[in-house]
Amino acid sequence: MTETQTSLTGTQKVAVVLMNMDRQRATEVMKQFNDVEAEVIAGEIIQLRNVDPALAETTLNEFHEITLKGRRLSRGGHEFAVGLLEASFGAERAAGVMNRVATSMAGKAFEFLDPSEPGDVLNLLDGEMPQTIALVLAHLRRDQASAVLAGMEPGLRTDVAQCIATMSSATPEAIRVVTDTLKLRTGKIVARESIEVVGGIQPLVDIINRADAATERALLESLEERDPALAEEIRSRMLTFADIVKLESRDVQQVLRGIDTNTLAMAMKGTSDGVVEVIRANLSERNRDVLDDETKSLGPVRMRQVEDARAKIVRAIRDMEAQGSITVQRDADDEYVN
């Protein structure tokens, strides 16, 4: 934050107040926020490294419970945010919040690409190294990144996917080099954000989760040939048709309302009894009868048809989860319905 800034947003004011409290009191206040609120506040604390004393004092005066004694120099930053979150929520939960903060802040560096069509992004990245392309895709919107990945020729697509999965933390300087270059190509004004970037398997999983069935299948098969262990870890993290048993009943019902009977019957071919029970239990009696009739009429089908039907349902689950209308439990110790 620069000394010339003369006003703060509401969230920035909360951050300034916490930065001026002693750690114990700030911890008690932070505990009152949920994870989403804490994530936003932590992001502001990281960026508000040095606040102009006059502006800090003006902000603090708005909070009647704080008695000011002289002028204060507010200091934030990464270490302050981490320490405050760990004291408030514990190390494990704090780490999760900070990971989301890092991803959110990194994504802002590439917001100028949000309006771009996937084809335009592909043209913009033409000739770049796979590592550079991976860095960009890892921080685009997942649906946009998935469309860009699907448009690449298979060899490059596999290279980029592997780079995303194995990417470690990138420095703000590296990100700025990439964003400066791309913004100059698109005629945008270069902004100097303070950013922190995290790569890894999860961004790739999120991107693949938005891909069509053919792209998903081809990419995983290609990765398996190159790095079987990596492909297996990616598969283990991906949402599957069987994960429908992890949804609450009301969420299952919401998903099934948008699926036609033929697709559902096709997807259920050869699936486990637990999945069948969950689906049937969340259909009306009439729809169960219709599903039974459809299942009997199908006869033998190709496995690829089954996979495509399941992929359609999985994409519906993913989209609803992304919109926040349903919740998918992903804990490693979650049990499946028998």
Side-chain angles (χ1 to χ4, degrees):
M1 176 176 173
T2 62
E3 294 186 359
T4 57
Q5 186 169 346
T6 58
S7 62
L8 297 172
T9 66
T11 307
Q12 287 173 331
K13 291 178 181 179
V14 173
V16 169
V17 171
L18 290 174
M19 288 155 55
N20 278 278
M21 289 181 176
D22 62 71
R23 177 62 61 85
Q24 183 176 358
R25 189 174 183 185
T27 296
E28 292 303 314
V29 174
M30 184 64 92
K31 287 179 180 178
Q32 306 307 310
F33 298 110
N34 60 39
D35 283 8
V36 175
E37 294 166 336
E39 178 183 334
V40 176
I41 294 168
E44 295 294 354
I45 290 175
I46 292 173
Q47 296 185 82
L48 294 172
R49 294 179 180 276
N50 295 302
V51 181
D52 176 67
L55 184 56
E57 186 170 338
T58 299
T59 302
L60 290 169
N61 280 330
E62 297 181 19
F63 294 82
H64 301 295
E65 70 271 22
I66 297 177
T67 302
L68 294 176
K69 294 182 179 180
R71 293 159 69 86
R72 301 189 182 193
L73 177 62
S74 303
R75 294 193 179 276
H78 184 273
E79 290 186 5
F80 184 93
V82 171
L84 183 56
L85 289 171
E86 287 183 348
S88 302
F89 303 130
E92 183 176 352
R93 187 174 165 193
V97 172
M98 285 304 298
N99 283 339
R100 293 194 296 274
V101 171
T103 300
S104 175
M105 293 177 68
K108 291 180 181 179
F110 295 95
E111 280 183 345
F112 70 98
L113 292 175
D114 282 355
S116 303
E117 293 295 325
D120 295 332
V121 178
L122 268 175
N123 291 333
L124 192 64
L125 296 173
D126 184 42
E128 293 290 349
M129 297 288 290
Q131 294 87 343
T132 301
I133 299 174
L135 186 62
V136 176
L137 296 193
H139 299 100
L140 292 182
R141 296 192 324 271
R142 295 308 182 224
D143 58 334
Q144 185 183 30
S146 178
V148 174
L149 195 66
M152 296 177 185
E153 59 90 13
L156 177 61
R157 183 169 59 201
T158 305
D159 289 340
V160 171
Q162 188 173 30
C163 287
I164 293 174
T166 58
M167 190 192 318
S168 58
S169 297
T171 64
E173 290 72 23
I175 296 302
R176 288 186 182 119
V177 169
V178 175
T179 54
D180 285 3
T181 300
L182 297 181
K183 285 177 180 178
L184 287 174
R185 288 182 188 175
T186 56
K188 299 291 184 180
I189 299 175
V190 176
R192 294 289 183 180
E193 299 96 343
S194 174
I195 50 181
E196 181 179 346
V197 183
V198 179
I201 290 177
Q202 193 56 47
L204 176 60
V205 170
D206 293 339
I207 291 170
I208 296 177
N209 276 343
R210 295 288 186 272
D212 59 85
T215 299
E216 177 181 313
R217 183 165 49 242
L219 180 54
L220 288 174
E221 288 175 354
S222 179
L223 278 174
E224 189 163 24
E225 292 178 2
R226 181 178 300 186
D227 191 335
L230 177 61
E232 179 60 28
E233 185 169 0
I234 290 171
R235 280 195 173 97
S236 71
R237 295 197 193 184
M238 290 185 64
L239 188 68
T240 67
F241 176 62
D243 288 331
I244 197 169
V245 303
K246 297 183 179 181
L247 303 181
E248 296 288 340
S249 293
R250 62 178 179 276
D251 291 342
V252 176
Q253 293 161 17
Q254 186 172 345
V255 171
L256 295 180
R257 277 199 293 270
I259 306 298
D260 66 80
T261 308
N262 178 267
T263 298
L264 186 56
M266 187 78 70
M268 291 171 62
K269 279 281 191 179
T271 194
S272 69
D273 292 341
V275 173
V276 173
E277 289 175 12
V278 166
I279 291 175
R280 289 179 58 81
N282 285 283
L283 291 173
S284 66
E285 184 176 356
R286 175 181 174 279
N287 285 334
R288 278 198 299 270
D289 291 339
V290 173
L291 178 62
D292 289 341
D293 291 340
E294 186 69 37
T295 301
K296 292 175 184 177
S297 68
L298 279 179
V301 296
R302 295 181 181 277
M303 190 60 206
R304 179 153 295 188
Q305 292 176 284
V306 174
E307 291 175 349
D308 288 343
R310 291 177 181 177
K312 183 175 181 179
I313 295 173
V314 168
R315 283 196 296 275
I317 295 174
R318 293 167 182 162
D319 290 343
M320 290 182 183
E321 182 188 23
Q323 295 164 7
S325 56
I326 65 173
T327 301
V328 181
Q329 299 297 328
R330 284 188 169 83
D331 295 338
D333 57 352
D334 275 348
E335 296 183 359
Y336 282 81
V337 175
N338 294 320

